[in-house]
Amino acid sequence: TVTNLEPAMAYYWRVRAENTTWASEWGSGSFTTKMTSAPQLTSPLSGATLVSKTPTLQWVPIVSTATYTVQVSASSNFAANAYSIDTISTRVVVPQLQGSTICYWRVRAQTIGDTTAWSSVNSFTTVPNAPNGIVLIYPDSGKQDVYQNDWLTWQADNTATVYLIQISQSPLFTSIFDSATVKSAGYRNANKVFTSGSTYFWRVRGSNIGGDGQFSAVWSFRVGSGVRVPVTLYSPSNMDYGKVKVGQY
C-alpha cells in the first residue's frame, strides 16, 4: 500500500519479476489520485455584514490543475442562483448584487474525471442601496420674495444617513454659492445670507454606506428684501398681569 500521495496527481508505476539469474521486462501502468476535500472558503467571513454589492469571494486552492464552480444565491438551498461561474482562479468578483440582502455562496472543485463535494455554505449581507432621489419641499421652485436668511427643506429619507445640499446662482452648478453635508432634512446658513433680488438654484442628494444617491430635481427661488426673524414665544405660567416674559427659538 502506497500512502501520502498528492491529491489530483497523475502517477506512473512499473513492476518486473526477477531472481538471481533472470529479470523480466517491465510492466507499467498509471493512475490519477482523487481530490481529497472540498474547497475551504476564506473571504468574506460567514455572517459578514455591510459587504460590497460587488464582492470579491476567495477560497483556498485544492490543486493547481483544478477548476472551480462558484454559486451565489439569495436562497440557502440555492434554488435560484443569482450568480454562477466556472473559473481557474481562487477568487472571483461577483457582479452587482441587491442591497441589504443576505447572500449565500459555495464552491466546488473539479479536475478531469473528479469533482469534489460542495464546500460549506457561507453567508454575507450586502450594504444597503444608495438613497433614492430626494424630494424638495421649500421654497417651492420659482418662489419669489424668499427671505435672505430662509430655510431650505426637503423630505426626510429613512435610508439616508446624511444629505449634501448645493446652492448656486448657475442652473448648471458651475460655481457653488454654498454647500454643506447635514444630517437633518433642512438647512440654513446664518453666516451666509442670500442677496436681495438674486435668483438661486438648489439641489440635495442623500448618502449612506451604500453610496451616494442621485441629486434631486433642481429648484430655483428669487430673494426678496425681507429677513426671517425669530418667533417670540410666551408661556401662561410665566405671565404676570400686564407683563409677559418672552423667549426666542
Side-chain angles (χ1 to χ4, degrees), residues 169-214:
Q169 292 185 272
S170 163
L172 300 178
F173 293 81
T174 53
S175 62
I176 301 298
F177 169 78
D178 194 10
S179 178
T181 298
V182 297
K183 293 184 178 181
S184 60
Y187 177 71
R188 180 177 70 168
N189 187 344
N191 298 315
K192 197 166 190 178
V193 298
F194 304 122
T195 301
S196 178
S198 296
T199 297
Y200 293 86
F201 302 86
W202 65 294
R203 61 185 182 181
V204 178
R205 76 178 180 198
S207 300
N208 59 27
I209 196 169
D212 298 327
Q214 297 294 318

Side-chain angles (χ1 to χ4, degrees), residues 12-231:
Y12 302 87
W13 64 288
R14 64 182 183 176
V15 63
R16 71 179 181 184
E18 59 184 42
N19 57 29
T20 57
T21 60
W22 171 86
S24 71
E25 297 292 328
W26 287 103
S28 62
S30 65
F31 61 89
T32 300
T33 55
K34 288 185 172 294
M35 292 180 286
T36 56
S37 61
Q40 178 183 348
L41 310 184
T42 58
S43 180
L45 295 176
S46 191
T49 59
L50 301 179
V51 174
S52 166
K53 289 183 288 185
T54 56
T56 298
L57 309 182
Q58 300 184 69
W59 56 93
V60 176
I62 297 293
V63 291
S64 60
T65 56
T67 60
Y68 302 91
T69 298
V70 183
Q71 291 184 341
V72 182
S73 177
S75 169
S76 60
N77 63 4
F78 295 85
N81 294 329
Y83 179 77
S84 182
I85 189 174
D86 293 324
T87 178
I88 60 172
S89 177
T90 56
R91 55 182 289 167
V92 295
V93 178
V94 182
Q96 192 79 9
L97 298 172
Q98 291 296 315
S100 299
T101 300
I102 299 176
C103 298
Y104 302 88
W105 68 291
R106 62 184 181 180
V107 180
R108 71 181 178 190
Q110 51 265 337
T111 59
I112 297 175
D114 189 19
T115 300
T116 69
W118 286 106
S119 68
S120 60
V121 176
N122 279 8
S123 67
F124 59 87
T125 304
T126 54
V127 295
N129 292 323
N132 295 321
I134 300 299
V135 178
L136 306 183
I137 295 179
Y138 177 87
D140 297 336
S141 190
K143 182 175 177 60
Q144 304 293 307
D145 295 324
V146 169
Y147 291 118
Q148 295 177 39
N149 62 341
D150 220 340
W151 281 91
L152 307 181
T153 62
W154 53 91
Q155 285 186 10
D157 186 320
N158 59 12
T159 67
T161 54
V162 294
Y163 304 94
L164 172 66
I165 179 172
Q166 291 182 336
I167 307 168
S168 176
Q169 292 185 272
S170 163
L172 300 178
F173 293 81
T174 53
S175 62
I176 301 298
F177 169 78
D178 194 10
S179 178
T181 298
V182 297
K183 293 184 178 181
S184 60
Y187 177 71
R188 180 177 70 168
N189 187 344
N191 298 315
K192 197 166 190 178
V193 298
F194 304 122
T195 301
S196 178
S198 296
T199 297
Y200 293 86
F201 302 86
W202 65 294
R203 61 185 182 181
V204 178
R205 76 178 180 198
S207 300
N208 59 27
I209 196 169
D212 298 327
Q214 297 294 318
F215 272 110
S216 65
V218 175
W219 280 14
S220 67
F221 58 87
R222 185 173 177 82
V223 182
S225 58
V227 175
R228 185 181 290 277
V229 296
V231 176

